[in-house]
Amino acid sequence: MTPEHQASTGTADPHPNPPPGCPAHGRGPGGLRRLHGPETADLGELYEELREEHGPVAPVLLHEDVPMWVVLGHAENLHMVRTPSQFCRDSRIWTPLREGTVKPDHPLMPHIAWEPICSHAEGDEHTRLRGAVMTAMSALDHRSLRRHINRYTQRLVNAFCEKGRAELVGQFADHLPMAVMCEVLGMSEEYNDRLVEAARDMLKGTDTAIASYTHVLGILQRLTERRRAEPEEDFVSRLITHPAGLTDEEVTKHVWLVLMAAYEATANLLANVLRTVLTDDRFYARLNGGQMTVSEAVEQSLWDEPPFSTVFAYYAKQDTELGGQRVRKGDGLLFAPAPGNVDPRVRPDLGANMRGNRSHLAFGGGPHECPGQDIGRAIADVGVDALLMRLPDVQLACAEEELEYRTSIASRHLVSLPARFDPKPQQDVMMAPMHGAASPPRPMAWQAPAPPPVAAPEVPDPAAAPVPPQAAASPRQAVAPDPAAAEPGRPGGVWQRFLRWWRGY
């Protein structure tokens, strides 16, 4: 623990703003740092400055100078999310909201406003709502999920593989999660470019974000109504028929939560993994050399660039202490995976490989740990693996320094990822991804000409080709064909057959 600092997240202003020209210019009331504005272009650097100045928990200001704590320490983040007796996600107890400091039109209100969903609930209500979500999640067929990921990857790659160039964020990472989640939720017919554009527009918070929100929510409301009338074997139907008895509003809100959280997190994760593969020579060489699987590359990315930089928010249910700071009842705290994952107490060497270590904060923890993290991992793992199978020579089409990011308090999103590769032919989406065009099937053992009889005719057939002695088959080999070729079209060996089954083909 660090010594207690006297900075407060209350609304009082004990220190006047510094005069223009002084080193602290640009800070807000009380000399606190803002998490928005032109001075915060590099939030990663700002978090490290806050860590140096305040320790693992630092006081900051949100938009309109609303006070908040940001939790920078790995251990402190875990303590907060795992201690529901001290911290909750119900914003109705947040002091600035109760006192009217935060207005209904505050820019972050969509992240802050309380909703009747499991991620905001506590106690028996949390158990009821999350139980329904977890039951619906647990019924997913992960083999079918991997098959959907492979097939949608094939379709997306087919759209640009013949051109030799692609923008892998806008043409791949932004689309694959939405396509797969539409399958999972039972709304595959709703997947189209308009839905993807609406989701991206809404998450950017543009002037048309409200219209985009209305578009997506309308789709989910109509889906809920259809499944209430005629349930099917999908996530939405399982929510509706669960013994918890969710209302249509609760079903729609939870479908919304699953769709948007999974979409934004997985789109960011996909883009980050692809960027790493294309820009880090060590990563790419190890992937190609078989020393690092795509799954391990995904976990490394979850450490280095978690999909959500911070999550809004937790609230203190009582006066307490965290990271050496006095946190008062009603204070708000940002759960912060990005700075928590680089806490020097758990990662003194940021260049060290984190292979096999899943103790990152990317998916939260405690009662509100992300229930769909296995889906996100599968989309990134299978999707990147399938794309690399189709485009093994893919390279970055610009200098790494030219890559741009759209940064907010909540996330750091790669704007574009231009790539080039040798043009490739399209492939059947029902087949497993492969390098180039499909090879013709190998002749089966039973299709080979029979060996010459033991008693050769006195006058050999001049058209018959002589068989080299070293290639002649023994009688035992002639009777028992090669097991690997015993069934046309199937790979040989138990391991190959298992891999084919696991990948959904």
Side-chain angles (χ1 to χ4, degrees):
M1 291 297 188
T2 60
E4 179 178 345
H5 296 279
Q6 298 302 316
S8 169
T9 60
T11 57
D13 183 2
H15 306 289
N17 284 329
C22 86
H25 186 61
R27 297 182 182 232
L32 300 184
R33 303 292 293 267
R34 293 185 173 100
L35 293 187
H36 64 95
E39 295 86 6
T40 59
D42 188 344
L43 279 174
E45 181 179 344
L46 175 58
Y47 290 141
E48 294 311 307
E49 293 173 0
L50 288 169
R51 197 194 310 270
E52 181 68 23
E53 184 177 351
H54 297 280
V57 178
V60 293
L61 296 172
L62 303 181
H63 298 73
E64 300 179 2
D65 287 341
V66 175
M68 179 73 74
W69 297 99
V70 59
V71 185
L72 306 169
H74 187 276
E76 289 73 19
N77 271 294
L78 285 179
H79 175 78
M80 179 175 65
V81 301
R82 291 175 176 176
T83 315
S85 61
Q86 295 180 345
F87 305 97
C88 70
R89 297 208 60 201
D90 188 344
S91 63
R92 293 174 294 184
I93 72 169
W94 189 26
T95 298
L97 191 62
R98 288 191 299 105
E99 294 180 348
T101 305
V102 176
K103 306 299 182 184
D105 60 349
H106 190 277
L108 298 177
M109 187 54 72
H111 297 279
I112 295 168
W114 183 86
E115 295 276 3
I117 53 179
C118 61
S119 59
H120 290 171
E122 288 189 274
D124 292 342
E125 185 67 358
H126 174 265
T127 300
R128 179 180 78 91
L129 296 174
R130 187 174 173 93
V133 173
M134 295 302 292
T135 299
M137 286 281 188
S138 65
L140 294 177
D141 181 349
H142 283 266
R143 181 169 175 256
S144 295
L145 174 66
R146 299 176 80 88
R147 182 169 63 249
H148 290 315
I149 299 168
N150 265 311
R151 290 178 180 174
Y152 275 110
T153 297
Q154 290 278 58
R155 291 175 186 174
L156 292 170
V157 174
N158 277 348
F160 55 73
C161 63
E162 296 174 310
K163 301 174 183 176
R165 302 183 73 86
E167 197 283 280
L168 295 180
V169 172
Q171 293 181 271
F172 185 74
D174 280 354
H175 281 262
L176 183 60
M178 183 62 77
V180 175
M181 289 309 300
C182 284
E183 284 283 355
V184 169
L185 297 176
M187 48 183 279
S188 57
E189 68 279 3
E190 304 288 356
Y191 167 69
N192 54 38
D193 289 348
R194 174 71 182 97
L195 183 60
V196 174
E197 290 166 3
R200 290 251 53 89
D201 181 61
M202 186 175 48
L203 292 166
K204 290 176 186 176
T206 66
D207 293 339
T208 56
I210 298 299
S212 295
Y213 168 83
T214 303
H215 175 75
V216 177
L217 192 64
I219 290 174
L220 301 184
Q221 288 171 336
R222 291 189 292 273
L223 173 66
T224 299
E225 293 168 1
R226 291 200 305 271
R227 292 297 185 267
R228 178 76 70 181
E230 298 181 11
E232 297 185 7
E233 288 298 319
D234 55 42
F235 179 87
V236 177
S237 298
R238 287 189 285 269
L239 275 183
I240 291 172
T241 58
H242 192 272
L246 273 64
T247 65
D248 280 7
E249 181 188 13
E250 289 173 333
V251 171
T252 301
K253 290 290 186 181
H254 281 89
V255 176
W256 162 269
L257 175 68
V258 170
L259 176 63
M260 298 314 300
Y263 171 65
E264 171 72 352
T266 310
N268 282 348
L269 177 59
L270 267 174
N272 291 334
V273 173
L274 286 169
R275 173 189 56 79
T276 303
V277 167
L278 297 184
T279 59
D280 190 324
D281 292 336
R282 295 169 302 172
F283 242 23
Y284 195 56
R286 294 174 74 179
L287 280 169
N288 282 340
Q291 298 178 22
M292 174 175 283
T293 65
V294 174
S295 297
E296 290 168 337
V298 169
E299 292 303 320
Q300 184 73 38
S301 180
L302 289 169
W303 272 103
D304 296 337
E305 191 79 63
F308 292 115
S309 305
T310 64
V311 174
F312 288 82
Y314 283 76
Y315 307 93
K317 299 169 68 175
Q318 61 192 44
D319 289 354
T320 186
E321 182 271 343
L322 184 66
Q325 302 281 17
R326 284 182 59 196
V327 178
R328 300 186 183 278
K329 179 179 178 180
D331 279 359
L333 305 96
L334 290 177
F335 170 61
N341 278 355
V342 296
D343 184 341
R345 295 174 298 176
V346 296
R347 290 186 71 186
D349 179 9
L350 295 180
N353 190 296
M354 303 303 287
R355 181 184 300 184
N357 188 335
R358 286 193 171 188
S359 59
H360 53 72
L361 303 171
F363 295 117
H368 298 295
E369 184 175 11
C370 175
Q373 57 186 278
D374 289 340
I375 296 176
R377 280 190 172 100
I379 293 174
D381 182 5
V382 178
V384 172
D385 184 55
L387 183 138
L388 293 176
M389 284 294 296
R390 290 287 306 274
L391 310 173
D393 59 337
V394 63
Q395 300 177 53
L396 190 64
C398 69
E400 182 178 353
E401 296 74 22
E402 296 176 16
L403 295 177
E404 296 181 3
Y405 295 83
R406 185 177 61 255
T407 302
S408 68
I409 299 175
S411 65
R412 183 172 180 260
H413 187 80
L414 185 63
V415 174
S416 65
L417 188 64
R420 66 175 184 271
F421 45 87
D422 289 339
K424 305 291 191 299
Q426 295 193 17
Q427 291 186 10
D428 184 349
V429 300
M430 303 301 288
M431 295 179 61
M434 64 185 72
H435 300 317
S439 302
R442 243 178 31 172
M444 298 295 106
W446 52 266
Q447 293 174 315
V454 176
E458 293 183 8
V459 181
D461 182 358
V467 179
Q470 65 270 26
S474 67
R476 184 180 186 88
Q477 290 171 325
V479 172
D482 179 9
E487 187 175 343
R490 292 193 61 182
V494 174
W495 179 244
Q496 286 80 7
R497 290 198 296 273
F498 170 76
L499 287 178
R500 188 175 178 86
W501 173 85
W502 177 247
R503 288 173 174 168
Y505 290 95

